[in-house]
């Protein structure tokens, strides 16, 4: 450790972000030919075809992109009946999150968040020498009353992930409205809605909260529904004054020209969006039915993934599926031991998954029966 003394104390304690296993890693580990990747909640239909068509010719790669992203921000603002000045763009919504922390969080500030929730919340909290106040989920759902009780004069931000990663659960809209109004007005409410478009009718719409409670930022992404995960485009919606502070901090040119071109084209891809939502909805119904048949407990999901319980360790179940060419996410690394987080795939991918689980569940049932005997 020749350089550890140079590193900030907060960083010394940190681990790098662990992304899900890649297809190449899975193939290499077990010499597999075909791999089904259901680990990172990507779009199983691929990217938006309109985005791909627009990317066929990227003009002016040698010229810096319009850093104001006037057209894209205007379009995004209009979608919500707002203006360009309500929109901050980012290199994925991860970048928006980091910009929020860099803009608002001082050392010692408290950041109230669920446990477990998206891993970058505690990570960014630690990076900025703030204190993560982690409020356990109840039955897999944010405990809004307990989160409210956790607010102190030191609280800078309260983050709600809706739907929550890794559980896929959502908060109830009426309860959330009461919670948002009860939060002291000086506390910044951050609502991560990376999976908003998958949610059923009547779910929380973060942008409405921005209207009724100005100290609120909603984060959205085009990585999931629009299939642009690798292009990196996410955005935040907030009061123009808040966006103005964030604009001071974000990196210049943090959204590349290809990302901006793809995002703009994808916004018009209504066919693709409809197909994606159809495939997700039917896949959800199939997986929930099959998990019930296999007696595997799961959290009701409002997203494009399901957290399903297994009667062995999550890592053992993850390994067993990987050996069969299916990559999922082990809950062991996500604060959800005993569960796998599985992206809802195409009909064929879901069938492969269920086939593998059928075989594995028979093996899992045997020791259970032995124990009962
Ligand atoms: C809750 C949540 N927020 C944000 C992100 C990151 O999205 P992006 O690709 O826009 O950085 C993810 C991705 O998995 C997520 O699950």
């Amino acid at each position: 450790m020749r350089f550890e003394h140079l590193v900030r104390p907060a960083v010394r304690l940190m681990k790098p972000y662990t992304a899900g296993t890649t297809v190449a890693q899975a193939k290499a580990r077990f010499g597999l030919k075909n791999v089904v990747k259901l680990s990172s909640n990507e779009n199983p239909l691929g990217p938006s075809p309109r985005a791909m068509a627009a990317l066929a010719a990227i003009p002016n790669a040698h010229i810096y992109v319009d850093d104001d992203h006037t057209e894209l921000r205007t379009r995004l603002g209009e979608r919500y009946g707002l203006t360009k000045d309500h929109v901050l763009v980012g290199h994925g919504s991860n970048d928006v999150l980091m910009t929020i922390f860099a803009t608002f969080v001082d050392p010692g500030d408290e950041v109230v968040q669920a446990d477990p929730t998206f891993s970058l919340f505690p990570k960014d909290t630690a990076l900025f020498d703030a204190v993560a106040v982690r409020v356990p989920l109840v039955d897999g759902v944010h405990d809004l009353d307990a989160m409210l009780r956790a607010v102190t004069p030191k609280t800078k931000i309260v983050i709600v992930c809706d739907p929550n990663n890794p559980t896929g659960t959502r908060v109830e809209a009426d309860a959330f409205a009461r919670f948002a109004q009860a939060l002291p007005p000086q506390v910044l409410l951050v609502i991560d809605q990376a999976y908003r478009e998958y949610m059923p009718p009547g779910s929380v719409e973060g942008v409405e909260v921005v209207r009724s409670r100005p100290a609120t930022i909603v984060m959205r992404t085009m990585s999931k529904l629009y299939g642009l995960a690798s292009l990196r485009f996410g955005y935040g919606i907030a009061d123009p004054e808040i966006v103005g502070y964030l604009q001071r901090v974000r990196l210049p040119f943090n959204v590349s020209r290809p990302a901006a071109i793809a995002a703009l084209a994808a916004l018009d891809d209504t066919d693709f969006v409809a197909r994606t939502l159809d495939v997700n909805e039917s896949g959800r119904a199939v997986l929930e039915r099959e998990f019930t048949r296999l007696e595997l407990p799961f959290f009701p999901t409002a997203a494009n993934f399901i957290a399903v319980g297994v009667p062995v360790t999550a890592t053992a179940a993850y390994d067993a599926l990987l050996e069969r060419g299916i990559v999922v996410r082990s809950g062991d690394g996500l604060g959800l031991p005993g569960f796998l987080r599985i992206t809802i795939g195409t009909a064929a991918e879901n069938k492969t998954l269920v086939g593998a689980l059928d075989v594995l569940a028979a093996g899992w049932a045997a020791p259970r029966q032995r124990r009962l005997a």
Side-chain angles (χ1 to χ4, degrees), residues 106-169:
D106 272 320
D109 282 351
E110 291 177 356
V111 181
V112 176
Q113 50 202 271
D115 183 20
T117 189
F118 187 44
S119 64
L120 284 188
F121 304 161
K123 185 170 178 169
D124 283 350
T125 308
L127 182 62
F128 287 90
D129 291 314
V131 179
V133 178
R134 309 195 67 183
V135 178
L137 303 175
V138 171
D139 297 330
V141 182
H142 279 68
D143 184 347
L144 296 176
D145 290 337
M147 290 180 84
L148 210 48
R149 287 196 300 274
V151 171
T152 74
K154 287 189 179 162
T155 306
K156 180 61 68 70
I157 297 182
V158 174
I159 310 186
V160 175
C161 191
D162 191 51
N164 189 45
N165 182 358
T167 48
T169 47

Side-chain angles (χ1 to χ4, degrees), residues 28-309:
R29 187 161 157 202
F30 290 108
L32 299 162
K33 277 212 181 71
N34 298 314
V35 166
V36 173
K37 184 174 189 293
L38 301 174
S39 50
S40 299
N41 309 335
E42 293 136 337
N43 192 320
L45 300 182
S48 145
R50 278 187 181 238
M52 287 303 101
L55 286 176
I58 309 266
N60 294 329
H62 62 301
I63 306 276
Y64 286 107
V65 68
D66 160 25
D67 195 37
D68 187 60
H69 291 287
T70 314
E71 189 181 356
L72 183 52
R73 288 171 64 216
T74 304
R75 281 287 311 279
L76 287 168
E78 280 170 4
R79 301 194 117 201
Y80 304 104
L82 299 171
T83 70
K84 170 195 136 197
D85 296 333
H86 291 86
V87 182
L88 178 88
V89 293
H91 183 81
S93 59
N94 290 347
D95 177 35
V96 174
L97 182 72
M98 174 85 95
T99 304
I100 293 170
F101 272 79
T103 305
F104 293 105
V105 176
D106 272 320
D109 282 351
E110 291 177 356
V111 181
V112 176
Q113 50 202 271
D115 183 20
T117 189
F118 187 44
S119 64
L120 284 188
F121 304 161
K123 185 170 178 169
D124 283 350
T125 308
L127 182 62
F128 287 90
D129 291 314
V131 179
V133 178
R134 309 195 67 183
V135 178
L137 303 175
V138 171
D139 297 330
V141 182
H142 279 68
D143 184 347
L144 296 176
D145 290 337
M147 290 180 84
L148 210 48
R149 287 196 300 274
V151 171
T152 74
K154 287 189 179 162
T155 306
K156 180 61 68 70
I157 297 182
V158 174
I159 310 186
V160 175
C161 191
D162 191 51
N164 189 45
N165 182 358
T167 48
T169 47
R170 65 183 175 129
V171 294
E172 204 255 312
D174 288 346
F176 190 75
R178 287 194 297 276
F179 163 81
Q181 287 309 321
L183 265 187
Q186 75 278 9
V187 171
L188 191 58
L189 172 60
V190 173
I191 312 171
D192 182 339
Q193 292 206 303
Y195 305 94
R196 174 64 187 84
E197 297 92 342
Y198 296 95
M199 298 177 90
S203 299
V204 170
E205 173 47 84
V207 180
E208 292 308 322
V209 185
V210 170
R211 276 188 241 278
S212 58
R213 185 188 184 281
T216 300
I217 306 176
V218 181
M219 298 192 306
R220 304 282 291 256
T221 183
M222 293 184 71
S223 295
K224 314 291 176 182
L225 181 72
Y226 295 92
L228 302 183
S230 129
L231 280 155
R232 312 302 301 130
F233 181 74
Y235 58 100
I237 302 272
D239 182 274
E241 182 184 336
I242 289 180
V243 172
Y245 298 129
L246 297 167
Q247 290 279 35
R248 295 181 192 180
V249 172
R250 74 166 172 88
L251 285 182
F253 310 109
N254 60 335
V255 172
S256 71
R257 191 186 301 279
I261 288 174
L264 205 50
L267 286 177
D268 290 326
D269 213 339
T270 44
D271 282 357
F272 179 70
V273 164
R275 267 194 299 130
T276 298
L277 293 177
D278 264 6
V279 165
N280 193 68
E281 191 47 30
S282 47
R284 183 185 63 76
V286 167
L287 290 184
E288 289 189 351
R289 190 187 68 219
E290 294 296 322
F291 293 159
T292 305
R293 177 180 64 80
L294 293 166
E295 296 181 33
L296 301 174
F298 58 89
F299 290 112
T301 185
N304 66 345
F305 60 90
I306 306 184
V308 58

